[in-house]
Amino acid sequence: MEINTSEINRQEKYKLLIGSVLPRPIAWITSVSEDGVVNAAPFSYFNVACIEPMMVSIAVIRKPGGAWKDTARNILETKEFVINMVDCHNVDAANQSSADYPPGVSEVDEIGLTKQPSAQVKAPRLAEARLHFECRLHQVVPLGEPATSDLIIAEVVHVHVADELYYDGKIDAKQLAPVSRLAGHSYATLGELFDRPRPLYQPK
């Protein structure tokens, strides 16, 4: 099958992308509005962007008409946020926070999540997660004309890791038990792990 992307509609593009680019890690973002309302929402358009400085990227799709979601607006206004990593222990709460709560309503308060102070940013982290990245905004890249999404690039300024997840300078993936997004309503766990050492180039 050949698909010319200029000939399919927005929903078809969406299904093609999220059904192909997977599994996707989930950034459960806490941010604070200028009025002090704490927002929590999960985003799976998320990945590592740079090592030095330590940066991550999150794409936040805009609402119909180009309006920002609460998370994007809060980050643009306050220039900071926290990524709480989603795992098998908190995925239900993270999924609940994806509901379309009205602006000004805190998902954290509505769901009954536990706020913990961060070390370098004002946005709180969630005790329900065991790995947190405190982030400061580096750059926002609007995507589309008119813009339909914002690529948020942020520097990680502090990391909180539960002791049981960190061993010999590395994160224990099995202990972390991360959960990823697939398409539709589907999620995935790690499943079988296997190694493939990076090969050395051998001239012929």
Side-chain angles (χ1 to χ4, degrees), residues 25-31 38-43 46 81-87 90 94 108 113-116 118 123-135 160 176 179:
I26 306 169
W28 194 13
I29 295 178
T30 42
S31 60
V38 179
N39 177 267
F43 295 90
F46 161 54
F81 59 98
V82 176
I83 294 173
N84 308 272
M85 293 301 295
V86 175
D87 60 35
N90 59 30
V108 174
L113 300 171
T114 309
K115 291 178 281 189
Q116 290 183 325
S118 296
R125 53 199 177 97
L126 299 176
E128 286 74 15
R130 297 175 296 154
L131 177 56
H132 315 86
F133 296 146
E134 296 185 20
C135 300
H160 304 263
L176 177 59
V179 169

Side-chain angles (χ1 to χ4, degrees), residues 21-190:
V21 183
L22 48 82
R24 299 185 306 280
I26 306 169
W28 194 13
I29 295 178
T30 42
S31 60
V32 182
S33 72
E34 288 190 328
D35 297 329
V37 177
V38 179
N39 177 267
F43 295 90
S44 69
Y45 296 0
F46 161 54
N47 219 313
V48 173
C50 185
I51 301 302
E52 190 62 62
M54 192 172 173
M55 291 186 176
V56 293
S57 65
I58 306 100
V60 181
I61 305 300
R62 296 193 185 189
K63 295 180 180 180
W68 287 321
K69 291 183 178 180
D70 292 345
T71 296
R73 186 187 65 250
N74 292 348
I75 292 172
L76 289 167
E77 290 176 349
T78 67
K79 308 294 190 282
E80 60 182 34
F81 59 98
V82 176
I83 294 173
N84 308 272
M85 293 301 295
V86 175
D87 60 35
C88 65
H89 305 290
N90 59 30
V91 62
D92 289 332
N95 181 59
Q96 181 61 42
S97 71
S98 70
D100 194 15
Y101 289 86
V105 173
S106 170
E107 294 86 354
V108 174
D109 294 339
E110 288 290 305
I111 299 171
L113 300 171
T114 309
K115 291 178 281 189
Q116 290 183 325
S118 296
Q120 297 193 45
V121 303
K122 292 182 180 178
R125 53 199 177 97
L126 299 176
E128 286 74 15
R130 297 175 296 154
L131 177 56
H132 315 86
F133 296 146
E134 296 185 20
C135 300
R136 288 205 180 101
L137 179 63
H138 174 73
Q139 183 180 2
V140 177
V141 182
L143 303 174
E145 293 184 10
T148 57
S149 178
D150 294 283
L151 180 64
I152 296 170
I153 302 170
E155 182 174 357
V156 177
V157 296
H158 198 92
V159 180
H160 304 263
V161 186
D163 291 344
E164 68 270 17
L165 303 182
Y166 199 67
Y167 176 74
D168 195 25
K170 296 178 288 187
I171 300 294
D172 186 323
K174 289 184 178 180
Q175 286 292 328
L176 177 59
V179 169
S180 60
R181 282 291 277 124
L182 303 178
H185 301 300
S186 299
Y187 291 77
T189 55
L190 281 180

